[in-house]
Structure formats: C-alpha cells, structure tokens
Amino acid sequence: MKDIKNISRSRAQESSAAIERLYITMRHLFNRGFYKPMGVSGETLREALLALRPEIYGSIAEEKVELNGLLYVIERLPVGIEQCRYINLTSDEGYSSSHFTAIVPPKRKRNCYRIDDEQMNIEITRGRSDIYDILTHLTFIFIESHKIKDRVLIDEEGRLTRDWEKLEQVVLHNKKLSLVEREKAISHVSNILGRTFAEVKAIYNDFGTTESPERFLHIVYWLGKLAIEEVVDNNKRTITFSPILRERLGHHIYGEIWANHIKEVLVKNQLIERPIHIISANMHSVMNSVFAEPVLGKKYKDAADFQIFEDLSSSNNKELRKKVEDFALQQGMISLPDTSGTNIDVQIFDTAKIELSKTAFATANLGDKKPVLIVMDYAFGEQAYETIDELLKPYKTEKGKIFMNVESVSIMGKAGILEGGKGDIMIPTAHVNEGTADNYFFENELTAAMLSGNDIPVFEGPMITVLGTSLQNRDLLKFFHESTWQAIGLEMEGAYYQKAIQSASRIRKSINPNVKVRYAYYASDNPLETGSTLASGGLGTTGVKPTYLITIKIIEQIFNVKK
C-alpha cells in the first residue's frame, strides 16, 4: 500500500473543508434552535472561519481589528446590533403590524426589529442563504469584539486600560464632538484596535450617519463592552432561531405568495397567455433602456454614450428618474412593489402598449403576439431557486391549470471576477455549485463576441455559484481559476436559477423545453486582488456602462432588433 503519511493538504483543500464545516455547523445550530457564538457551541464556527480567513474579512486571524471588513459587515446588519446580547432570527411573524419600527440595513433588504435594549429580531424571508450570510457576519464581529476585549482588559477582575476609560466617557456623554475631541477619541481608539491613527481617521466617517456622526466610536465601545461582560460576568451573547422560522424554512412559502401575485396580475391584465420573457435585473436598467430615449433623448442628443444612464443612476437625480418612470407607467408598465416578504420587487411590461418607434429599439420585430416582460429584482442565493421554481409553475385556477408561454429567462447581475477588474463583463458557459458535485452546462444566448468592442474587457467561461461571497479566500479562488475548472468568476445565484429552469423545462414540462437562457454579469470586485474585494467599497459609476450594455443586448434579442 502506498505511504500516505506525508501527503499534506493544500490551502485550497483546507479552505474547502472549512466551508463545508461552516455550513454543516450552521445547519446543525439552526436545527438545535439556539447557540452561544463565543461559547462552546459556537467554537466550530469560529475555528472554521479563522481557518478559512476569507478575503472579505481581511485581518480576521491577526491581533489587530479588521476595519474594512467591519464596515462591510456593519452595513449589512441592523443599526444597533452591536448593543444587543440576544439576537433572534425569525420568520415574518407579524412585527410589521406592531408598534416596532422596522430597521433595514443600508446594504441588505431585510426587516429587523429592536425589541428592547438587549434584543434584536432579524426577519428571514429569503431562505437559507440569508441565515448563512447573517451567521458568518455575526461570527466575524464577535471575533473582532474579543480582540477589543483582549487589548483593554487588564485582568480577570475587570480592570481596564486608560484608553478604554476615555472611550467610555466619550460614548456615554453621547454628544457631537468638535474636531479636537474627535481626534483625541480616535487616538484612544487606534490603541484599542491595534491600528494607526491615520487608518482609523481614514475610515471613521464611513461608519457615521446623519443622526450619529460618531457611530464608529459607539460600535467599538459596545462590541468591546459585551465581550468584556462575557468574560468578567460570564454573560454570553446568544443567537436563537424562532420555532416558526424552523418550521417554515425550505417550504417556498414566500416564493409561492410572490409568484402567485405576479400570475394574478398577468391574468387580470389578460397577459398570461402571451409570450413571456423573465429578466432578473435591477429595477431601473430595463425601464431606462426602453423609456429614457423618448423622455430625455432631446436633452442628451449631443451627450456621450451612456451619459443619460449615468445621470439617471445618480442619487441626486430623483426628478429625472421620476419622469422616466411616469412615462413608463403611461406606456403600460405595471409596478409591483413586494408585499410577500421576498424583498423582490417586480415590473411587468406589456410591449403592445409601448411606442417602440420612439425608443432606441425602433427596428424591433415583435410578431403578432406581442411579448410580455417580467423584470424581477435580484434574488439572494438559494432564494433564486425558490422564486423561479414557483414562477415557472402553471397557474392554478378554478377552471384548471394555465401553463405560461415562457420563451426566455435572462439573468443580469453582479459577480466577483477572477481575471480582470471592477466593471468588466463575464459571460458564463456553465454554473458550478461550490461544495457539491452539481454543475449546470447550458447554451447561453449571449456570447463574449456580442459584448466585445465597447472598451470593456469581456471574459467567457464557467462560473462558480458560491455558498456565500463572504466565505471565499484567495487560495480557494485561485484553485477554481487556475485548475481545469478555469472559472472566470463567482456569484451566488446562477446554479439555483438554472436548476429551477432545467427542472421546469426538462422534467416537469411546465414550460417550453427549448426555453432560451441568457446569463451575463459585471464585476463588482476582484477578490484575488488586494484592495479590490467587496470590502474595499462600491463600484460608483463604473458599473453603469456594463449594466446597460448587457441590458440592451438582452432587450435587442427579445425584441428581434434588426441591425
């Protein structure tokens, strides 16, 4: 027998095993119903995350506190969560009709409710990926909180450093600081965090809000305070999962409500038997691509290409966007803000009501049966399967089932790129599901050649559907990119979309077996490049051109535009 004693595992293999441990552990803790993140029950999660050392969490395995990673996570968790000792993950259990005010994180659509000084409830209506996302983020901030504790706690009796006492004075006074007072506080905090004064000062304002400009100090203080109390008073933080959440998860409850509402509207407007094209994108690119020209074309006649879309994407141009939206509504657009809990808004476009001759698609050839576009906002991870699976099912009525004539499904989204930079375009030829043997090869109606020649690099090849973008590290991604997988990027939904499309078209026969699919992504980050991860900040206007290039190409194909 061959000697296997000296065969060592690569970092990529160790990372893959760490991700598997994380997910198995999270599902176990969910079934258990509660756990203490910094206690024995949370030890496996902490060890796996520290072994993995994801790029997005930067210096998680070092003694100093990670600042960019902390900002990334805080923007995706509810304001005030750092003060809460009890975090309860719930289903939609009626809090929206109570006196509690919903807290929605700036970078994640999820309703959260501050129950009292110590408890935060977070609503989970988007499936398991939402739970994985929250638990990994919470594990990260709790690890960071204990780094703060280690730097300020002098002994087990609870004596603390002078820097901590000074920070506590500032936070408890809770007043707006002068420049001098702020810089004194930053000096103390930089010692607490193991960071330079310049590093802390550079990121300080990114944490602030209009209501709380000194929020960074409060976050550091409360993270450290609860960590100190865990050690000195043995008062552990606890994460619980409500019984209703544990009962409902995995049953497509929210996806079914969402899909049925869309079908009801289609029936009401006599659209359900027309050719249907589903597009997963944001809530502005399809609308603007079709209607910006007739509304604003004269104003932008001499402007550079895509300038009209850059201006419409600016947060300062609400009135401009309102003009386009109002015109779209006049031309048959139906807007369906989400009420199901999926947090996926929808727009329906009846092309029979659009004066295409005045748009940028004047040479469209729609045929006798004018198509209907269903544009849905981005799904989140496994939620992509739940929503598309439910949407593609026949609509049940008293008279029987109505099978929808779905001609195409197009997915336009953001993804991490493994070769290239922010704003580049990726055209997948297959989706490989990380951590499983599942892989989905398909004929993509979009090709790299179609999008080339626009001063944006375009890459074509397999893409990895990852279990969480916050769980990827350089070694694992280099393996996917440099091995025979030759992956060009990573995202969170592709394999789930394709799994639902293939089962509906090939097995269940609820839609056309020859349904066309289009997948294209633009790069929001390059996790293999230092300073280009998701934690390094947003795209700004860099994402506008690729977004509209992809959207316009999708619409041209649906509308059979003659070149």
Side-chain angles (χ1 to χ4, degrees):
M1 183 177 168
K2 191 175 179 181
D3 184 15
I4 59 169
K5 286 180 186 174
N6 297 319
I7 297 178
S8 61
R9 293 192 305 169
S10 69
R11 269 289 293 150
Q13 289 171 317
E14 287 173 1
S15 301
S16 185
I19 287 178
E20 190 176 357
R21 280 203 311 279
L22 275 163
Y23 280 88
I24 290 169
T25 303
M26 284 191 276
R27 293 186 83 144
H28 161 70
L29 295 172
F30 172 74
N31 290 330
R32 183 187 181 203
F34 74 97
Y35 78 104
K36 295 181 178 177
M38 300 310 289
V40 175
S41 52
E43 189 173 3
T44 307
L45 270 187
R46 298 195 309 272
E47 286 177 351
L49 203 60
L50 288 167
L52 186 59
R53 299 196 295 278
E55 296 303 309
I56 215 161
Y57 294 150
S59 55
I60 185 173
E62 299 174 27
E63 285 183 17
K64 59 187 178 184
V65 172
E66 166 59 30
L67 298 179
N68 286 323
L70 184 61
L71 176 62
Y72 178 84
V73 167
I74 286 294
E75 288 179 331
R76 284 152 181 81
L77 293 172
V79 171
I81 197 164
E82 69 279 356
Q83 301 173 9
C84 297
R85 186 169 282 112
Y86 302 99
I87 295 162
N88 186 25
L89 273 54
T90 73
S91 180
D92 179 358
E93 298 175 20
Y95 286 99
S96 58
S97 56
S98 69
H99 77 280
F100 294 109
T101 303
I103 305 168
V104 181
K107 297 288 179 74
R108 274 283 186 273
K109 284 186 182 178
R110 51 170 73 110
N111 290 333
C112 310
Y113 300 93
R114 184 76 177 264
I115 305 303
D116 54 38
D117 290 346
E118 291 190 310
Q119 182 178 333
M120 181 73 76
N121 281 14
I122 301 176
E123 267 186 15
I124 304 294
T125 56
R126 306 205 295 174
R128 288 193 181 91
S129 294
D130 222 5
I131 293 177
Y132 303 153
D133 187 58
I134 289 165
L135 293 189
T136 48
H137 288 343
L138 288 174
T139 303
F140 165 74
I141 64 168
F142 292 161
I143 289 170
E144 297 301 300
S145 75
H146 273 245
K147 290 183 190 176
I148 295 168
K149 177 265 300 176
D150 290 341
R151 298 185 75 89
V152 301
L153 190 61
I154 295 171
D155 55 37
E156 291 178 3
E157 294 171 10
R159 285 196 303 138
L160 299 158
T161 63
R162 179 176 178 274
D163 286 315
W164 181 259
E165 289 169 354
K166 290 292 182 183
L167 172 62
E168 187 170 51
Q169 286 172 15
V170 172
V171 169
L172 296 182
H173 273 102
N174 197 24
K175 63 171 186 175
K176 189 172 181 181
L177 304 179
S178 67
L179 178 63
V180 173
E181 289 170 329
R182 183 178 296 121
E183 292 195 342
K184 284 181 181 177
I186 289 173
S187 176
H188 293 303
V189 167
S190 61
N191 287 336
I192 290 167
L193 302 179
R195 292 286 185 174
T196 66
F197 178 84
E199 284 174 322
V200 176
K201 190 177 178 183
I203 205 166
Y204 187 93
N205 290 331
D206 294 338
F207 283 86
T209 62
T210 310
E211 301 80 29
S212 179
E214 322 300 342
R215 189 175 170 222
F216 181 73
L217 302 178
H218 290 257
I219 289 167
V220 171
Y221 172 74
W222 282 102
L223 285 176
K225 179 178 168 62
L226 294 190
I228 291 163
E229 289 175 2
E230 282 191 317
V231 172
V232 175
D233 305 325
N234 198 29
N235 204 349
K236 302 283 187 198
R237 285 170 280 198
T238 305
I239 293 174
T240 53
F241 307 90
S242 81
I244 304 297
L245 174 65
R246 291 160 67 204
E247 181 186 298
R248 286 180 178 175
L249 195 74
H251 295 296
H252 290 200
I253 286 167
Y254 301 104
E256 186 178 3
I257 296 167
W258 174 84
N260 282 340
H261 183 213
I262 295 168
K263 292 169 195 173
E264 282 166 16
V265 173
L266 291 173
V267 168
K268 184 181 174 184
N269 290 274
Q270 298 179 326
L271 301 173
I272 198 159
E273 292 180 351
R274 298 249 296 273
I276 289 172
H277 299 268
I278 298 166
I279 304 172
S280 173
N282 50 51
M283 287 289 98
H284 57 77
S285 57
V286 173
M287 181 179 71
N288 289 346
S289 296
V290 176
F291 298 109
E293 178 63 29
V295 177
L296 305 169
K298 288 180 183 176
K299 184 181 175 184
Y300 285 87
K301 190 169 60 175
D302 301 319
D305 289 347
F306 299 96
Q307 186 60 50
I308 189 170
F309 301 126
E310 282 198 20
D311 288 356
L312 282 166
S313 300
S314 169
S315 56
N316 301 322
N317 282 330
K318 287 182 181 175
E319 285 184 19
L320 216 59
R321 288 199 298 277
K322 183 81 166 57
K323 280 184 183 178
V324 176
E325 187 177 354
D326 288 346
F327 185 75
L329 292 166
Q330 289 167 23
Q331 296 261 307
M333 182 181 87
I334 301 168
S335 181
L336 300 179
D338 180 63
T339 55
S340 67
T342 59
N343 284 309
I344 298 176
D345 297 335
V346 170
Q347 294 163 337
I348 298 172
F349 297 87
D350 178 0
T351 59
K353 294 182 179 178
I354 301 172
E355 292 181 65
L356 286 173
S357 60
K358 295 180 180 178
T359 71
F361 307 98
T363 58
N365 178 19
L366 301 184
D368 296 332
K369 284 193 171 183
K370 302 290 189 286
V372 173
L373 311 187
I374 299 174
V375 180
M376 56 180 281
D377 208 346
Y378 299 121
F380 186 71
E382 287 185 32
Q383 188 191 31
Y385 177 76
E386 175 179 340
T387 48
I388 290 290
D389 183 57
E390 291 297 329
L391 187 55
L392 298 181
K393 285 179 181 176
Y395 182 52
K396 293 177 183 175
T397 67
E398 292 176 4
K399 295 177 182 177
K401 293 179 181 177
I402 301 174
F403 288 83
M404 294 197 300
N405 180 16
V406 178
E407 291 199 348
S408 75
V409 182
S410 304
I411 312 297
M412 189 274 289
K414 291 186 290 188
I417 197 166
L418 301 179
E419 179 184 344
K422 288 185 179 185
D424 292 355
I425 291 173
M426 289 162 279
I427 305 294
T429 54
H431 287 298
V432 179
N433 210 347
E434 180 188 50
T436 73
D438 301 348
N439 50 82
Y440 301 88
F441 179 80
F442 46 83
E443 293 293 333
N444 195 342
E445 295 294 310
L446 298 173
T447 64
M450 290 176 188
L451 290 148
S452 298
N454 291 287
D455 297 324
I456 295 178
V458 183
F459 299 87
E460 195 167 28
M463 289 183 70
I464 309 298
T465 298
V466 297
L467 296 164
T469 51
S470 57
L471 291 179
Q472 307 309 306
N473 69 13
R474 189 180 299 265
D475 304 289
L476 194 56
L477 295 175
K478 279 181 79 173
F479 164 74
F480 278 126
H481 181 50
E482 294 173 3
S483 71
T484 50
W485 285 114
Q486 295 184 320
I488 58 169
L490 64 146
E491 46 74 55
M492 282 184 65
E493 294 82 26
Y496 299 116
Y497 279 126
Q498 191 59 26
K499 177 176 162 184
I501 294 164
Q502 285 183 195
S503 64
S505 60
R506 301 295 176 86
I507 302 168
R508 292 174 159 183
K509 312 290 186 190
S510 52
I511 63 168
N512 181 354
N514 298 314
V515 62
K516 292 178 178 178
V517 294
R518 302 178 188 89
Y519 290 93
Y521 300 88
Y522 63 93
S524 56
D525 64 299
N526 184 333
L528 289 180
E529 274 185 19
T530 304
S532 291
T533 66
L534 280 172
S536 66
L539 274 169
T541 57
T542 311
V544 173
K545 187 175 179 180
T547 296
Y548 282 92
L549 264 178
I550 295 166
T551 305
I552 289 166
K553 190 55 65 178
I554 289 170
I555 297 170
E556 283 178 350
Q557 288 197 359
I558 293 170
F559 286 0
N560 293 314
V561 171
K562 293 174 184 174
K563 294 295 177 94

